[in-house]
Amino acid sequence: MSITTTSTTFEVHLTESPTPADERAAKLVAPRFGTVFSDHMARITWSVDQGWHDRRIEPYGPLQLDPATAVLHYAQEIFEGLKAYRHADGSVWTFRPWANAARFARSAQRLALPVLSEEDFLGSLAALVATDVEWVPSGDESSLYLRPFMYASERFLGVRPSAAAEYLVIASPVGPYFASGVQPVSIWVAEDFHRAGAGGTGAAKCGGNYAASLLPQQEAYALGYDQVCFLDASTNTLVEELGGMNVFLVHADGSVSTPELSGSILEGVTRSSILQLLADAGHEVRERPVPLAELRAGLEDGSVAEVFACGTAAVVTPIGRLGGQGFDLTVGDGATGPVTSSVRNELTDIQYGRVADRHGWLRRLV
Ligand SMILES: *Cc1c(COP(=O)(O)O)cnc(C)c1O
């Protein structure tokens, strides 16, 4: 059996032990983020000699890696994250996957990995979701989280770009990110650690950036905060982003700011969608350097009314408290602000097909 999408064909090798329907139904009830996986995965292999080949869907399962596989030593790896949403009529859609395909290509270039074409990227998502469509949940704010990734698979300890790579997509059903409704989080501003620096890999979606963010995240948690916010590594004065989410400020005059893409900030698809939706709603939106000193002063004098973080997994997360060395400030009255709520609702309404897709952001998968 094979699945042909727009221009690529995936050979389908179905698992001999699919999850029974009742077991799957139980797993789809309130799964903890990233812990439940569907029955299959998409895969494409690359080598210097053959290029991309062997497009297939195969049973989900462990990878066998030689201990000398390059990725285990030098972290030559990239990933993506997007979701498949079930609409009320049963159809399944994804959101701006072209943007993820383009970002995956940019990440590959920065990490000296081979570029995967948009056709292969979109084709792999469509083939996997068609195979595992019963794993797309239909509950409120539920979705099938898709995780494309690529790693250097050559068995070689020399330091140079790998001559072989594997691309895979796995799928994980997820429930609402906030089980008890959207709750504001507290953020610790790290001043002793950075996730990325000028000329580094901050604008690429690679595992190494996340590895660098874990210790400061742990430190923030120990201090009683939920997440960490990073400053720019060059001056240690400009707000950049959280470990995996971009940041927005809503000013008391209704204008909105987000840190400009400095080269060390990851360009979120959610960020760019929110910039568009806020502009559509008549807000003045600015991408600009955001000094921490200005943010602190704005929270103290009330000229910054709301702060929120955004990314595919949690969509929009209100920030209710911001602390760092020598300060601990409440954002507004600490509750979710009106602009934060309305942009969150607008975006999810588009993703779940509850309002018109006026920007052509959705792509049907099944
Ligand atoms: C993935 C990611 C984001 C959010 O990007 P989305 O495309 O909106 O999901 C923000 N920052 C970092 C560091 C990320 O890795």
Side-chain angles (χ1 to χ4, degrees):
M1 176 182 153
S2 64
I3 293 177
T4 302
T5 64
T6 33
S7 59
T8 52
T9 301
F10 285 74
E11 283 297 321
V12 179
H13 306 277
L14 294 177
T15 175
E16 283 168 11
S17 49
T19 307
D22 55 340
E23 217 177 285
R24 186 180 59 235
K27 286 184 167 190
L28 290 181
V29 177
R32 205 160 64 81
F33 184 85
T35 57
V36 174
F37 297 94
S38 71
D39 281 336
H40 297 89
M41 56 192 190
R43 187 161 185 171
I44 314 180
T45 298
W46 180 85
S47 65
V48 165
D49 298 338
Q50 288 180 269
W52 288 108
H53 60 281
D54 241 351
R55 293 163 180 81
R56 62 222 191 259
I57 299 294
E58 56 186 41
Y60 181 95
L63 303 170
Q64 197 175 37
L65 297 183
D66 187 284
T69 302
V71 66
L72 299 177
H73 302 273
Y74 309 124
Q76 198 189 356
E77 183 270 355
I78 57 171
F79 67 95
E80 269 302 327
L82 67 172
K83 289 171 169 176
Y85 307 89
R86 194 181 283 284
H87 288 188
D89 66 358
S91 59
V92 177
W93 303 71
T94 191
F95 183 76
R96 305 185 72 185
W98 311 275
N100 297 89
R103 187 170 69 190
F104 198 58
R106 293 198 299 275
S107 298
Q109 275 164 337
R110 180 63 185 85
L111 274 285
L113 282 162
V115 169
L116 185 79
S117 70
E118 181 182 271
E119 293 70 36
D120 275 336
F121 186 89
L122 300 181
S124 66
L125 304 180
L128 178 60
V129 174
T131 306
D132 280 342
V133 67
E134 282 150 346
W135 288 88
V136 184
S138 49
D140 206 27
E141 294 240 348
S142 297
S143 60
L144 186 65
Y145 182 81
L146 303 170
R147 168 53 62 86
F149 62 103
M150 189 200 301
Y151 64 90
S153 59
E154 187 178 359
R155 177 181 168 278
F156 178 57
L157 292 184
V159 181
R160 58 146 170 77
S162 177
E166 290 288 324
Y167 165 75
L168 291 100
V169 189
I170 55 175
S172 176
V174 294
Y177 200 83
F178 300 95
S180 48
V182 178
Q183 300 290 341
V185 297
S186 57
I187 298 294
W188 173 258
V189 180
E191 294 190 35
D192 299 334
F193 294 106
H194 298 96
R195 66 175 280 283
T201 56
K205 208 165 176 75
C206 64
N209 292 338
Y210 279 71
S213 76
L214 298 178
L215 178 63
Q217 170 63 46
Q218 203 174 34
E219 183 188 76
Y221 199 75
L223 290 166
Y225 293 82
D226 299 312
Q227 293 199 34
V228 64
C229 177
F230 292 98
L231 301 177
D232 76 293
S234 301
T235 71
N236 216 26
T237 62
L238 303 175
V239 173
E240 292 223 305
E241 60 171 318
L242 310 190
M245 284 195 272
N246 297 115
V247 179
F248 279 80
L249 279 55
V250 182
H251 303 277
D253 65 4
S255 66
V256 176
S257 305
T258 191
E260 67 182 356
L261 299 173
S262 59
S264 49
I265 292 180
L266 196 285
E267 183 176 3
V269 178
T270 318
R271 174 186 180 278
S272 99
S273 307
I274 285 174
L275 282 169
Q276 179 71 55
L277 294 178
L278 289 171
D280 292 353
H283 294 272
E284 183 197 333
V285 293
R286 277 174 297 168
E287 297 176 71
R288 62 177 179 92
V290 175
L292 175 63
E294 181 205 301
L295 172 56
R296 283 178 60 177
L299 291 175
E300 275 165 3
D301 69 17
S303 59
V304 172
E306 303 176 36
V307 183
F308 64 83
C310 65
T312 295
V315 195
V316 169
T317 304
I319 294 173
R321 176 183 171 209
L322 189 82
Q325 278 160 34
F327 67 98
D328 188 4
L329 298 164
T330 301
V331 180
D333 60 5
T336 304
V339 176
T340 304
S341 306
S342 76
V343 81
R344 182 177 214 286
N345 291 337
E346 246 186 286
L347 187 53
T348 53
D349 281 348
I350 294 172
Q351 290 168 335
Y352 286 90
R354 295 186 290 251
V355 298
D357 173 25
R358 65 181 185 277
H359 292 292
W361 282 341
L362 298 183
R363 179 189 167 97
R364 186 164 181 175
L365 292 175
V366 176

